[in-house]
Amino acid sequence: MKDLSMVENLTKVEDFFLYDDEFLSLDAIKSIQNEIIYNQQFRVNPFEWEEKPEDPHHIFGDMFEDFPFLTSGTNSIEPEGSVFEIGKYVLHQLSLKNSLAPMSIFRAKSNLTTITKESKPSWPHIDGQDEHLVFIYYVNDSDGDTIVYDQKYTGSEYDQSDLTIFKKITPKAGSAVIFDGSRYHTNYSNQKNNFRFIINMNLKLIGGQ
Amino acid sequence: MRSDIFMQDDNFLNEIEILAVETGIWNCEFRYQPETGSAEDGLSGVVGDNFGEFPMFVSGSNIPNALSQVQDIANFVVSRFLDKHRFIIKEEIRARSNMTFRSLDTRPSRPHVDVDKEHYVFLYYVNDSDGDTILYDQISDRVTSYTQEDLTEFKRVSPKAGRALLFSGNRFHSWNGPQDSYARCVINMNLSLDERSFNGREFN
């Protein structure tokens, strides 16, 4: 894991939620856009799941629809490369402003979604069942809200009708959100903007709780 | 141009090969290109409000025989096509894969020719999608300047996985962005053909 030195404040993952859209300068926002949008290589993810996996990490139902997206970076637990370096910088700036405790990054990638015909959100999911935080940085202004649900992973399956919205975040260039990774979350695709670029990382508190 | 060619073939690869090519291309890395980069001079690119300018994702290079993830796949596909139709490649000018995504703009892209030298365009459709390729009657001679009102349609081809076109590269062409499909992906090659390809053959 890649360590980051931070001042301390964030002390526990459970129920943590932070949104900030005023922690980077305009120059920094534009530099990050330039680096992510124009200088990264993206790979197409599988188009659609032909068979929905039996998986309590996801919640299925006709209220949702999976849609394809592109990714730069990997799911490696030892992230490296430019997306990781940019994400590390963004997290550092966010942490400085909000006095967050030290965190390690164990996944760093940039996701790109394009216009889909489907107006439903994708399958609500968690990224993993070990205690962690989800970090999302919005690279560009776009539609395609992120939805964070009240419901948390418990190991048993939820029905789609159980879900209630905890937070809804509209992508805005230069904004970031960190939340308890045990909360199910999802996103809408973009219907108006051609592209929606985000940096998505998973974090752990250094030393645990 | 030695010969004005338009050729379409949907059956030069088998189903397994078509799927392998598609899978191989999805595994390539693509870079964002905010515009197609077509010329605006009327000589090799035509602009006007009948046409849109689309962002796209590109894998591969404009450099001949450049090392790229797309290169081996493109070489396999074009060699199968050329062998079947008894063409002999003289020079590969460019090989890349272009991916466009669903767009709200229903206009075709700017009509253009790809490079400023004598060549043929080999276009292979990687996946089933909408977003037709449009070929125009007008030929770029680098002297005549065309406006959008001058252009008339010669052929219109819908993408289909496994389908390929070979046509004279000085013919203006454009494409529509997909409206129904998530993505439209092609392998686009520019190449010249050896004189022996034309011995005793008529293409028009």
Side-chain angles (χ1 to χ4, degrees):
Chain A
M1 291 193 187
K2 312 284 181 178
D3 288 350
L4 296 170
S5 295
M6 299 293 169
V7 292
E8 297 197 22
N9 194 1
L10 168 60
T11 55
K12 78 183 173 83
V13 167
E14 187 180 2
D15 289 332
F16 186 81
F17 182 88
L18 170 70
Y19 173 81
D20 194 335
D21 60 0
E22 293 183 328
F23 67 101
L24 289 178
S25 68
L26 192 55
D27 283 347
I29 293 168
K30 287 182 176 175
S31 295
I32 292 165
Q33 284 181 337
N34 190 56
E35 193 58 36
I36 293 292
I37 297 173
Y38 296 102
N39 289 320
Q40 299 305 313
Q41 304 270 6
F42 285 85
R43 200 183 294 270
V44 177
N45 274 284
F47 268 29
E48 275 154 35
W49 287 344
E50 292 182 359
E51 292 182 21
K52 297 166 192 169
E54 294 292 327
D55 178 4
H57 291 183
H58 290 78
I59 297 172
F60 301 109
D62 57 10
M63 292 165 59
F64 308 105
E65 185 73 48
D66 199 27
F67 43 81
F69 60 101
L70 293 90
T71 297
S72 183
T74 70
N75 288 330
S76 167
I77 60 169
E78 290 282 350
E80 56 184 16
S82 50
V83 171
F84 165 68
E85 294 299 332
I86 296 164
K88 189 167 71 169
Y89 166 80
V90 174
L91 177 61
H92 184 72
Q93 297 302 314
L94 183 69
S95 297
L96 283 177
K97 184 186 167 201
N98 293 282
S99 301
L100 303 181
M103 285 175 278
S104 59
I105 300 170
F106 67 97
R107 192 175 78 155
K109 57 183 193 166
S110 177
N111 293 338
L112 161 60
T113 48
T114 62
I115 295 176
T116 73
K117 290 172 80 174
E118 187 52 67
S119 57
K120 298 174 184 175
S122 64
W123 314 120
H125 63 279
I126 55 165
D127 296 346
Q129 64 189 60
D130 292 340
E131 184 179 77
H132 69 282
L133 292 155
V134 174
F135 169 94
I136 299 172
Y137 173 76
Y138 299 95
V139 176
N140 65 318
D141 292 328
S142 168
D143 56 332
D145 288 356
T146 300
I147 307 292
V148 183
Y149 294 98
D150 288 310
Q151 286 68 31
K152 297 177 184 175
Y153 173 78
T154 60
S156 56
E157 292 191 31
Y158 284 96
D159 185 83
Q160 61 178 357
S161 59
D162 297 331
L163 295 173
T164 49
I165 294 175
F166 170 65
K167 297 282 182 185
K168 181 185 278 197
I169 304 111
T170 299
K172 175 186 172 188
S175 65
V177 62
I178 298 181
F179 57 89
D180 177 357
S182 71
R183 283 190 190 278
Y184 284 94
H185 54 279
T186 186
N187 68 285
Y188 285 89
S189 67
N190 21 318
Q191 303 288 306
K192 297 174 186 167
N193 299 85
N194 280 332
F195 302 111
R196 173 189 187 271
F197 288 88
I198 63 163
I199 296 172
N200 174 211
M201 302 197 296
N202 290 149
L203 317 171
K204 281 185 188 295
L205 285 176
I206 292 177
Q209 292 183 33
Chain B
M1 181 64 67
R2 174 65 178 75
S3 185
D4 185 19
I5 293 175
F6 173 82
M7 189 173 282
Q8 176 181 331
D9 192 340
D10 299 354
N11 297 301
F12 69 103
L13 296 181
N14 65 39
E15 286 183 11
I16 294 171
E17 291 167 334
I18 291 169
L19 188 60
V21 170
E22 184 170 344
T23 304
I25 291 293
W26 296 149
N27 281 316
C28 291
E29 292 182 320
F30 287 76
R31 188 182 293 272
Y32 179 68
Q33 186 173 300
E35 297 180 335
T36 57
S38 300
E40 302 178 5
D41 55 9
L43 304 175
S44 55
V46 179
V47 295
D49 54 14
N50 289 349
F51 308 111
E53 179 68 333
F54 299 94
M56 60 202 294
F57 280 76
V58 175
S59 187
S61 171
N62 289 341
I63 300 168
N65 294 304
L67 287 176
S68 75
Q69 297 167 311
V70 166
Q71 189 72 52
D72 287 346
I73 302 170
N75 286 346
F76 166 75
V77 174
V78 75
S79 65
R80 291 294 297 272
F81 183 94
L82 297 180
D83 287 350
K84 178 177 174 183
H85 296 285
R86 294 180 289 116
F87 288 110
I88 300 165
I89 193 166
K90 180 180 173 188
E91 180 193 9
E92 181 193 302
I93 300 166
R94 188 175 85 165
R96 57 187 225 179
S97 179
N98 299 332
M99 195 181 310
T100 48
F101 295 97
R102 185 173 288 129
S103 168
L104 301 178
D105 193 339
T106 58
R107 299 174 298 172
S109 66
R110 293 173 178 170
H112 63 280
V113 295
D114 292 351
V115 291
D116 274 338
K117 63 190 292 189
E118 189 169 300
H119 70 286
Y120 294 89
V121 175
F122 176 76
L123 197 62
Y124 175 79
Y125 299 100
V126 174
N127 66 320
D128 291 323
S129 81
D130 58 326
D132 289 355
T133 300
I134 303 161
L135 277 64
Y136 297 91
D137 289 310
Q138 286 67 32
I139 301 295
S140 169
D141 57 9
R142 270 75 179 178
V143 175
T144 311
S145 181
Y146 292 98
T147 66
Q148 61 180 3
E149 288 77 20
D150 297 325
L151 297 176
T152 50
E153 223 173 277
F154 167 66
K155 297 274 185 189
R156 178 178 284 263
V157 181
S158 297
K160 176 188 174 191
R163 172 173 290 168
L165 308 179
L166 182 73
F167 60 90
S168 305
N170 58 359
R171 184 180 289 284
F172 281 100
H173 55 278
S174 68
W175 42 268
N176 280 106
Q179 302 291 309
D180 293 322
S181 315
Y182 164 70
R184 173 191 188 272
C185 188
V186 300
I187 294 172
N188 173 215
M189 294 183 78
N190 297 142
L191 47 92
S192 61
L193 296 173
D194 190 279
E195 281 294 310
R196 289 172 290 172
S197 302
F198 306 103
N199 289 344
R201 300 172 69 185
E202 294 289 336
F203 296 100
N204 299 321

